[in-house]
Amino acid sequence: MDGGIRRAGAAGRRPATSSPSPSPDASRRHLLAATAAAGLGLLTACGQPSSRADSAPKASPPGGASSSPSGGSGSPSPSGAATAPPSARPTKRRRPELPRGGRELFPRYRLVGFCGLPGAAALGRLGTGDPEKRAAEAEKVAHSYAAGREPLPVLELLATVANATAGPDGAYRSRTPAATVRRFHRLARDRRALLLLNIQPGRASVLDEVKALREWLVHPDVGIALDPEWEMSSGQVPGDTYGHTDGQELTKVARYVSGLVREHDLPQKPLVFHQVAESVVGEESALRPQPGVALIKSADGIGSPGLKRGTWRRLVKDMPDGLHTGFKLFYEEDAKGSRLMTPKEVLALRPQPEYVMYE
């Protein structure tokens, strides 16, 4: 965003100017990439894609009840098999719902929360301090954005992090261990919040990274957030330049998520794509909404309130039908040389953001 420094995940920071495609500060971004990916020891080698799924919790059957074998309550048949008593009636299956009820996100809810990675303070609010306290803080902030809607807190965890080094498979990304994802999924459930798994793909296939998270996405309280500025083409390195996606690729991801929703009878899932500049998302007119998926375009970046409003207007201008809007704020960087926008100011944006994320 104009007028400040853009901090985006483990790949570091970039200055922002009035140009649609500012030049990154490669040295600083590379330093942060190395610190986040290697120094903390939180991320697994990207050549081990099964590390998440192996420890992922089993998906609850539709309705959220655990299946168990019958036993004891029926009468034995002549063959010895137990049968239900004549008065027993089949139990109606309860369809899975969102953490705070219902199966549609909008217009009932406004999503508000924090993003980050535990132990990596430079990557966002969620990664600082006690996660339990951060989740409680997100709940409080969410209520300040209610404005006629029900607040739904969000924990946006960096699940795939772009790196400045290639790694064993040359994909320039690392995956957050399953144990960390599980920990935050349990925390989200305890707080009746949504867990969003953020993907910074590096040179890896975006759709492959989404599919690697399938074991989590089959739960009714887990969605996806994409950071396409960290999606590199062949020959590009995270931290040196903006990445890029387009409407066709976003539609492919939305179709995959829609298929999971249909297969598991899940409630509507959020699919967020963060956009720091107009150049990051091409051919947006080709984006096609999919059943069961709420597509959210989130304006990303750092700057003063006036500069953030200007970028917002550019990014939402001529936006395709069927998209919802999001807005990102930075506790520290937005306040440097200026101030953090208030909830009242954010809610005055038009269209009004339906997802507000703090980093």
Side-chain angles (χ1 to χ4, degrees):
M1 187 168 291
D2 302 340
I5 296 174
R6 162 72 174 108
R7 181 185 69 194
R13 305 169 185 260
R14 71 161 64 88
T17 70
S18 58
S19 167
S21 300
S23 300
D25 180 346
S27 61
R28 192 170 193 184
R29 287 160 59 92
H30 284 173
L31 176 61
L32 284 179
T35 299
L40 296 172
L42 289 172
L43 303 180
T44 58
C46 49
Q48 299 173 351
S50 63
S51 61
R52 290 174 177 150
D54 290 345
S55 303
K58 298 295 184 182
S60 301
S66 298
S67 59
S68 61
S70 303
S73 61
S75 302
S77 67
S79 63
T83 60
S87 60
R89 295 182 178 179
T91 302
K92 186 176 181 181
R93 178 178 62 86
R94 182 179 177 184
R95 304 179 75 190
E97 294 188 344
L98 293 165
R100 303 201 174 190
R103 289 176 54 85
E104 298 289 326
L105 286 166
F106 307 120
R108 176 174 174 177
Y109 294 107
R110 192 180 318 279
L111 280 53
V112 182
F114 298 157
C115 70
L117 183 68
L123 308 187
R125 190 93 169 171
L126 192 61
T128 61
D130 179 8
E132 293 278 356
K133 292 181 179 179
R134 284 293 171 250
E137 183 184 0
E139 171 93 33
K140 184 177 179 180
V141 173
H143 279 276
S144 69
Y145 279 94
R149 294 194 182 193
E150 294 181 43
L152 181 53
V154 174
L155 307 180
E156 186 172 320
L157 178 70
L158 297 176
T160 301
V161 185
N163 294 334
T165 54
D169 62 359
Y172 287 86
R173 60 91 175 91
S174 296
R175 292 174 174 174
T176 300
T180 303
V181 179
R182 186 189 317 109
R183 178 186 181 193
F184 278 82
H185 187 211
R186 288 172 178 166
L187 178 58
R189 284 198 165 173
D190 289 344
R191 303 295 310 192
R192 296 170 62 220
L194 280 174
L195 176 67
L196 291 191
L197 299 177
N198 181 292
I199 294 174
Q200 301 175 355
R203 290 192 197 171
S205 159
V206 174
L207 188 56
D208 285 350
E209 293 304 303
V210 174
K211 289 179 177 179
L213 294 165
R214 185 184 187 281
E215 291 290 332
W216 307 102
L217 292 174
V218 295
H219 294 277
D221 52 358
V222 181
I224 283 287
L226 305 177
D227 252 330
E229 63 183 286
W230 303 105
E231 180 179 343
M232 301 289 112
S233 300
S234 177
Q236 293 182 329
V237 174
D240 288 347
T241 184
Y242 277 152
H244 176 270
T245 189
D246 56 38
Q248 291 94 336
E249 182 172 60
L250 293 173
T251 298
K252 290 178 182 178
V253 174
R255 283 186 182 135
Y256 175 76
V257 175
S258 179
L260 295 180
V261 170
R262 181 177 61 254
E263 179 183 354
H264 295 275
D265 191 28
L266 298 171
Q268 189 178 40
K269 279 193 178 295
L271 172 55
V272 179
F273 61 97
H274 294 291
Q275 186 172 358
V276 68
E278 293 166 275
S279 62
V280 168
V281 181
E283 299 180 74
E284 195 172 83
S285 61
L287 182 54
R288 298 289 182 265
Q290 300 297 313
V293 178
L295 286 165
I296 304 171
K297 175 177 179 172
S298 178
D300 198 352
I302 292 168
S304 67
L307 290 170
K308 291 174 86 82
R309 290 188 193 100
T311 299
W312 170 265
R313 288 191 290 268
R314 289 196 299 275
L315 291 180
V316 302
K317 183 180 179 182
D318 300 324
M319 192 169 62
D321 293 337
L323 290 187
H324 302 272
T325 52
F327 193 71
K328 195 168 185 179
L329 298 114
F330 295 79
Y331 274 114
E332 295 181 6
E333 288 84 349
D334 280 351
K336 289 180 180 177
S338 184
R339 62 176 178 81
L340 190 68
M341 290 179 70
T342 66
K344 183 178 179 180
E345 290 173 320
V346 174
L347 292 172
L349 296 170
R350 293 295 179 269
Q352 194 175 71
E354 296 180 277
Y355 176 41
V356 181
M357 174 52 56
Y358 284 84
E359 183 173 317

